[in-house]
């Protein structure tokens, strides 16, 4: 059975690449959202197995979205992996301390993204 | 993927214009936005040099770097964006 992956990122072209990269893998069904608010709604309605969440987004940024997900019993248990271009050790440690399962650096390699997601699902 | 990469390259001139306007005004907070976007995107389309330059600007702004330093790094970024535009 395929795992549902929600990808939340305000950068449309990166979202499109991620959806393509993961959509080619039969283990995944992917849904993309262009804002944190849209992602929150999709998380409640779709109950994904994993959320890939961009950190810097207008209005609701990734950490804020993660906090709101954790406050809602319907989404509190969904693992979240942050996607970020800020990969300094201090920043990554901060994101992990918020409760993220992991961090994927931008730019990511579309060819290896599915493997990374699989590892996070297993982890 | 090729279409997305072509679109990214086609927008390089426009992006440079926006960044240059922020540089002229020394509007560092506003400048951080497009630099962050480029840092995350450029490498996806085979332009890691642009992404690296954008990341350097963003990090200098985050660190509260001196205006001269940020301006110098931004000039490097603009040069790479213009080279990308001219290579099309």
């Amino acid at each position: 059975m395929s795992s549902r992956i929600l990808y939340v990122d305000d950068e449309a072209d990166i979202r499109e690449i991620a959806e393509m990269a993961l959509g080619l893998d039969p283990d995944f069904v992917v849904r993309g959202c262009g804002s944190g608010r849209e992602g929150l709604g999709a998380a409640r309605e779709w109950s994904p197995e994993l959320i890939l969440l961009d950190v810097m987004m207008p209005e609701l940024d990734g950490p804020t979205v993660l906090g709101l997900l954790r406050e809602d019993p319907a989404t509190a248990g969904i693992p979240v992996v942050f996607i970020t271009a800020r990969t300094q050790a201090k920043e990554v440690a901060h994101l992990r301390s918020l409760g993220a399962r992991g961090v994927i650096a931008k730019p990511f390699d579309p060819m290896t993204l599915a493997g990374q997601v699989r590892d996070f699902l297993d982890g | 993927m090729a279409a997305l990469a072509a679109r990214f390259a086609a927008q390089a001139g426009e992006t440079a214009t926006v960044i240059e306007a922020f540089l002229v005004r020394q509007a560092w907070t506003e400048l951080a936005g497009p630099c962050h976007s480029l840092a995350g995107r450029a490498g996806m389309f085979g332009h890691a040099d642009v992404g690296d330059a954008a990341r350097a600007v963003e990090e200098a702004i985050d660190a509260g770097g001196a205006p001269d330093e940020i301006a110098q790094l931004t000039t490097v970024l603009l040069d790479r964006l213009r080279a990308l535009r001219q290579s099309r």
Side-chain angles (χ1 to χ4, degrees):
Chain A
M1 186 175 164
S2 299
S3 298
R4 293 181 300 278
I5 308 297
L6 183 64
Y7 187 92
V8 185
D9 194 328
D10 63 311
E11 302 277 10
D13 47 6
I14 302 298
R15 199 169 63 243
E16 196 171 331
I17 290 170
E19 288 182 52
M20 273 193 292
L22 296 174
L24 290 171
D25 192 310
D27 288 345
F28 303 128
V29 177
V30 190
R31 182 165 166 181
C33 291
S35 71
R37 194 161 299 285
E38 190 186 344
L40 284 169
R44 288 190 198 104
E45 177 249 324
W46 199 46
S47 297
E49 271 77 32
L50 186 77
I51 299 174
L52 299 174
L53 183 59
D54 185 31
V55 172
M56 287 193 67
M57 293 185 289
E59 193 189 354
L60 292 182
D61 65 10
T64 302
V65 172
L66 175 59
L68 293 169
L69 287 167
R70 292 297 178 253
E71 287 177 8
D72 184 341
T75 58
I78 303 172
V80 168
V81 173
F82 280 121
I83 310 280
T84 181
R86 293 185 171 185
T87 53
Q88 293 160 308
K90 184 179 165 188
E91 183 77 17
V92 171
H94 170 64
L95 293 173
R96 283 184 170 277
S97 75
L98 298 175
R101 180 166 286 189
V103 177
I104 292 176
K106 272 186 185 177
F108 53 79
D109 179 356
M111 303 302 287
T112 61
L113 182 62
Q116 288 179 280
V117 168
R118 195 171 284 108
D119 289 345
F120 284 124
L121 281 169
D122 293 342
Chain B
M1 186 71 183
L4 289 171
R7 192 166 68 198
F8 176 84
Q11 290 169 344
E14 187 182 332
T15 304
T17 300
V18 169
I19 287 173
E20 187 166 31
F22 290 143
L23 171 62
V24 168
R25 289 170 38 214
Q26 297 203 349
W28 306 136
T29 302
E30 290 92 336
L31 176 62
C35 288
H36 179 78
S37 175
L38 283 173
R41 294 163 62 229
M44 306 277 303
F45 304 115
H47 304 292
D49 61 331
V50 173
D52 291 344
R55 183 171 292 103
V57 176
E58 185 189 16
E59 288 178 0
I61 293 169
D62 283 352
D68 284 354
E69 178 201 5
I70 299 171
Q72 187 178 3
L73 291 167
T74 305
T75 301
V76 172
L77 172 60
L78 286 169
D79 287 346
R80 292 181 184 179
L81 280 169
R82 288 176 183 132
L84 168 59
R85 182 188 59 189
Q86 287 167 3
S87 70
R88 292 183 65 241

